[in-house]
Amino acid sequence: EPEVTQTPSHQVTQMGQEVILRCVPISNHLYFYWYRQILGQKVEFLVSFYNNEISEKSEIFDDQFSVERPDGSNFTLKIRSTKLEDSAMYFCASSEWLYSNQPQHFGDGTRLSIL
Amino acid sequence: GENVEQHPSTLSVQEGDSAVIKCTYSDSASNYFPWYKQELGKRPQLIIDIRSNVGEKKDQRIAVTLNKTAKHFSLHITETQPEDSAVYFCAATGSARQLTFGSGTQLTVLP
């Protein structure tokens, strides 16, 4: 069964540094998402992306965050100047169709630790 | 925006018993309600979903019910097994597509 893949599985970064989290969505999927989960808490929506542009974003997704689809397969989340509170598990997800809600399939996540 | 409340936060059942987890949502425009199972340190895994044009859906030992009027939906697991132990999240979404998750239920199935 096709899966969403994410790299790296764990990223440790000094506060103030830039990080890029990478995702390869399922190949025939059209919608891509980033969510985050702070340890022990619920999953929170960050941003959705369709047709090479942001579709929706949450209040969490401020100017420090950006997303990009640099080629036909990768989907990246960049945090420009990391803060301690950015420490969380970041999940990428993708879904198939445009015109109705379809299941979102999650990757294994990247655990981001800010020191 | 959408707000999803989930209860209980923890649930312990004996192996073989049933487990029920309940969620309410606030946005009447929401029309898709998935349930995810998350084992420790792993990805949320979709286990069942329901759309607003359906009142109930079943898949082997798992069922989900939806009451649009009351804006609540429930997950039912029958004949629970130790491997059902995990955190279960409900979620809701509508035209905005983003999933709004509940706070999660830690289900423990005692052997």
Side-chain angles (χ1 to χ4, degrees):
Chain A
E1 187 176 325
E3 289 187 343
V4 175
T5 57
Q6 290 185 243
T7 54
S9 57
H10 192 188
Q11 175 81 47
V12 181
T13 302
Q14 292 288 332
M15 187 172 61
Q17 296 296 305
E18 174 183 286
V19 293
I20 298 176
L21 310 183
R22 292 182 166 79
C23 168
V24 179
I26 296 172
S27 62
N28 64 334
H29 285 191
L30 299 177
Y31 256 90
F32 315 127
Y33 312 83
W34 283 101
Y35 291 86
R36 78 169 186 193
Q37 186 177 33
I38 294 171
L39 187 63
Q41 298 186 21
K42 66 180 176 181
V43 179
E44 300 174 288
F45 170 75
L46 292 177
V47 65
S48 61
F49 191 86
Y50 168 72
N51 198 26
N52 285 319
E53 60 183 29
I54 290 174
S55 182
E56 291 109 19
K57 59 182 181 179
S58 72
E59 293 174 352
I60 302 167
F61 194 87
D62 62 22
D63 292 343
Q64 294 299 312
F65 291 88
S66 62
V67 289
E68 194 179 29
R69 189 155 163 83
D71 54 43
S73 58
N74 289 285
F75 177 51
T76 62
L77 174 70
K78 183 194 287 187
I79 310 176
R80 287 190 187 84
S81 179
T82 50
K83 309 184 195 79
L84 293 175
E85 54 264 37
D86 294 328
S87 294
M89 182 73 95
Y90 288 79
F91 291 104
C92 174
S94 67
S95 64
E96 188 173 6
W97 290 350
L98 171 62
Y99 293 111
S100 64
N101 277 306
Q102 293 296 309
Q104 293 184 24
H105 298 271
F106 284 70
D108 283 331
T110 293
R111 181 167 298 284
L112 179 62
S113 300
I114 307 300
L115 304 178
Chain B
E2 177 65 279
N3 183 45
V4 177
E5 300 283 339
Q6 183 172 347
H7 301 280
S9 56
T10 61
L11 178 61
S12 293
V13 298
Q14 289 294 134
E15 183 177 356
D17 287 350
S18 295
V20 180
I21 302 170
K22 299 182 179 182
C23 289
T24 60
Y25 61 98
S26 61
D27 187 354
S28 56
S30 289
N31 58 15
Y32 176 66
F33 307 92
W35 286 88
Y36 287 85
K37 174 183 180 182
Q38 188 178 33
E39 296 174 4
L40 190 63
K42 296 198 174 179
R43 71 173 80 181
Q45 197 165 14
L46 179 69
I47 57 171
I48 196 166
D49 56 13
I50 191 166
R51 289 183 174 76
S52 57
N53 59 346
V54 175
E56 184 173 356
K57 184 176 176 181
K58 197 171 181 179
D59 182 4
Q60 299 183 339
R61 297 186 297 108
I62 296 173
V64 57
T65 59
L66 171 65
N67 183 327
K68 282 171 54 180
T69 304
K71 288 192 275 190
H72 68 69
F73 56 114
S74 301
L75 177 72
H76 305 251
I77 306 174
T78 58
E79 300 170 28
T80 52
Q81 301 164 3
E83 51 265 38
D84 294 329
S85 296
V87 178
Y88 291 80
F89 289 97
C90 63
T93 189
S95 57
R97 293 184 180 274
Q98 67 210 51
L99 290 172
T100 300
F101 283 82
S103 52
T105 296
Q106 173 69 62
L107 174 65
T108 303
V109 180
L110 304 167

